[in-house]
Amino acid sequence: MSMGERILILGGGVIGLASAFELGKRGHQVTVIEKNKCGGQASGAAAGMLAPFSEIGEDPDDFFQLCLASLRLYPTWQKEVKSLSKCEFEYTNSGSLHAVYHEADLLALETRQAWQREWGAETEVLSANQLHQFEPELSTDIIAAMHYPEESHVFAPDYVKALEQACRNLGVLIEDELEEVAIIEWKDEIKLEAKYGKTFTGQRLIVSSGAWSHELEEIFSIRIPVYPIRGQICAYDNLHGRVKHIVYTSQGYLVPKGNGTLVNGASEDIAGFATDVTEKGIMRLTNWNYQIFPFLKQRIPFHKWAGLRPATQDGYPLIGKLEEAPHIIFATGHYRNGILLSPVTAVSVANLVDGMANHVPLHLFKPERFT
Ligand code: FAD
Ligand code: GLY
């Protein structure tokens, strides 16, 4: 195992910070290079659901396996982040309900249940009557829901802050607010240069620049089809205890946070790199969510925001070494599941650096697969 490498991490979102945390723990000399503020983009905007069963309904492929592995790393992972950062953040095993409105949806729910059970999901389809006990204020239009007791959530902005603090405590250097960062050399030594001439060198580079990753296509001469999909999202306040589970529907989701807010997400729109909130985007959520909880009809969200998910052409992230330059490791394109995938990505990246075997298959995620 090669120890104590000098590693540069490009991008201080949840993926860069989680990777820095794991590499820092393993004794590497890590520097996170962030052009703005760490966690200031998608990672700080996320709803924080750890919900592989709700998010991936179609196929038990390697991506699902990656998501599930990460969910199961979370109990230990979040404890470690808290202990090394000395910061608190919410991690709640609330369980979730995947709700449906029509008889015709029941078959799809049962198909999903059959294969998810094979993967160890303790799922149960609850009838409208049973649901009344689980989540008393749920709309009576919902005819059934799948209960996933394992699904959980974190308060994403606090989790990311704790990760940053844990990194600092481990001796990871955080170089943020650099405005612009360019890769000057990468074929052998890595050299990065920031706007006012400040340079950084290292033996390895981890690319975790989220929705901006395609900017590196030219320098690496590979296709990097990662593009921003804006998620507009809002929250209601003063709802302590009224909603207990994550509720997921085909039109949106609700996540009850420990601070009494109820997070309601999220749109998926193409708006380039704009992170503003539009009336139309939020109305799509507010026009629907009272069909989940009728009491929301009278309420106005107290907070609205948006973030840019790093989407990829095939929906899978890019995790792996460049074949021609194995000292360059990609960890980007996590689209809707970067918070969930942060532990497994970090461990996978660190195993790649240390030449250790990964227990989850990564070949589907090869960074050069689009070239
Ligand atoms: P980012 O957080 O965007 O970080 C990338 C960083 O790289 C940025 O800080 C950027 O400034 C920096 N950067 C870019 N280029 C450069 C450069 N050249 N030099 C230096 N720095 C650079 N995921 C879940 O798991 N569960 C959820 O419930 C969930 N809900 C979501 C809800 C919404 C509304 C949104 C928008 C996303 C949600 N996600 C969720 C997805 C999740 O937020 C993302 O997958 C994840 O944050 C991606 O992390 P990242 O570190 O790759 O990207
Ligand atoms: N995973 C939830 C979202 O991306 O909106």
Side-chain angles (χ1 to χ4, degrees):
M1 190 161 92
S2 62
M3 292 302 286
E5 281 192 37
R6 289 179 298 116
I7 302 174
L8 302 178
I9 298 192
L10 192 68
V14 74
I15 298 299
L17 290 171
S19 303
F21 173 68
E22 184 64 24
L23 288 163
K25 270 194 315 178
R26 297 189 190 190
H28 294 287
Q29 301 166 49
V30 184
T31 307
V32 174
I33 311 280
E34 167 56 54
K35 62 180 178 179
N36 297 314
K37 284 201 162 78
C38 287
Q41 294 293 344
S43 304
M49 291 181 294
L50 312 176
F53 303 111
S54 299
E55 287 274 350
I56 306 145
E58 299 78 34
D59 222 353
D61 60 7
D62 288 355
F63 180 59
F64 172 75
Q65 203 176 322
L66 191 75
C67 290
L68 187 58
S70 211
L71 176 71
R72 292 181 177 162
L73 287 175
Y74 246 100
T76 309
W77 173 266
Q78 56 89 26
K79 261 192 217 150
E80 248 178 345
V81 177
K82 284 175 183 163
S83 136
L84 286 167
S85 64
K86 312 237 174 327
C87 295
E88 274 307 311
F89 58 89
E90 182 186 7
Y91 164 72
T92 301
N93 177 220
S94 58
S96 70
L97 296 169
H98 187 104
V100 297
Y101 291 79
H102 307 287
E103 291 281 330
D105 297 326
L106 277 175
L107 186 63
L109 217 57
E110 279 159 14
T111 309
R112 182 190 262 257
Q113 182 185 37
W115 71 256
Q116 290 183 337
R117 273 194 171 161
E118 280 176 27
W119 285 89
E122 298 165 33
T123 71
E124 207 186 338
V125 178
L126 302 174
S127 66
N129 277 345
Q130 291 168 304
L131 275 175
H132 189 69
Q133 289 163 18
F134 263 73
E135 202 60 77
E137 298 202 55
L138 212 54
S139 163
T140 49
D141 291 342
I142 292 172
I143 62 153
M146 186 108 83
H147 178 218
Y148 294 116
E150 251 188 290
E151 293 198 330
S152 305
H153 59 93
V154 290
F155 197 88
D158 290 350
Y159 165 49
V160 179
K161 273 188 209 137
L163 267 178
E164 183 182 343
Q165 190 55 49
C167 284
R168 289 184 193 276
N169 294 352
L170 283 165
V172 169
L173 296 177
I174 308 271
E175 297 278 355
D176 58 1
E177 302 194 58
L178 295 172
E179 294 183 39
E180 277 167 33
V181 182
I183 301 175
I184 306 296
E185 284 168 31
W186 61 276
K187 292 208 165 141
D188 196 8
E189 261 289 291
I190 312 289
K191 187 173 173 194
L192 306 183
E193 189 175 296
K195 195 173 176 184
Y196 300 107
K198 196 168 182 185
T199 58
F200 307 94
T201 57
Q203 294 155 285
R204 260 186 206 274
L205 177 69
I206 315 293
V207 175
S208 52
S209 43
W212 293 264
S213 304
H214 74 278
E215 289 172 359
L216 307 176
E217 277 193 332
E218 210 172 307
I219 185 107
F220 292 126
S221 302
I222 58 167
R223 277 195 67 225
I224 310 173
V226 181
Y227 51 91
I229 294 287
R230 182 172 62 182
Q232 300 187 51
I233 180 163
C234 63
Y236 298 86
D237 59 2
N238 288 321
L239 285 165
H240 293 272
R242 250 176 119 168
V243 175
K244 292 165 183 59
H245 300 84
I246 297 170
V247 184
Y248 207 95
T249 73
S250 62
Q251 303 300 312
Y253 54 78
L254 292 160
V255 191
K257 296 294 179 186
N259 64 3
T261 61
L262 182 63
V263 172
N264 179 199
S267 73
E268 284 195 329
D269 38 67
I270 298 172
F273 287 90
T275 52
D276 48 330
V277 169
T278 65
E279 205 183 318
K280 193 173 153 211
I282 296 297
M283 266 176 62
R284 246 206 82 238
L285 303 171
T286 54
N287 283 345
W288 169 259
N289 62 28
Y290 69 89
Q291 304 198 46
I292 306 177
F293 287 108
F295 69 79
L296 288 176
K297 194 157 195 171
Q298 283 83 41
R299 290 194 175 241
I300 295 167
F302 82 107
H303 184 32
K304 305 166 196 168
W305 67 99
L308 303 172
R309 301 179 187 91
T312 62
Q313 189 176 309
D314 60 6
Y316 298 130
L318 284 69
I319 306 172
K321 293 179 175 176
L322 288 189
E323 258 163 49
E324 299 292 313
H327 57 297
I328 312 280
I329 296 177
F330 273 67
T332 186
H334 291 72
Y335 191 36
R336 294 180 60 94
N337 290 295
I339 303 293
L340 168 63
L341 287 169
S342 52
V344 82
T345 304
V347 171
S348 302
V349 164
N351 284 345
L352 288 170
V353 169
D354 290 339
M356 287 165 66
N358 269 309
H359 302 294
V360 282
L362 295 177
H363 31 262
L364 201 61
F365 315 125
K366 281 191 177 141
E368 283 136 326
R369 66 184 181 274
F370 305 103
T371 304

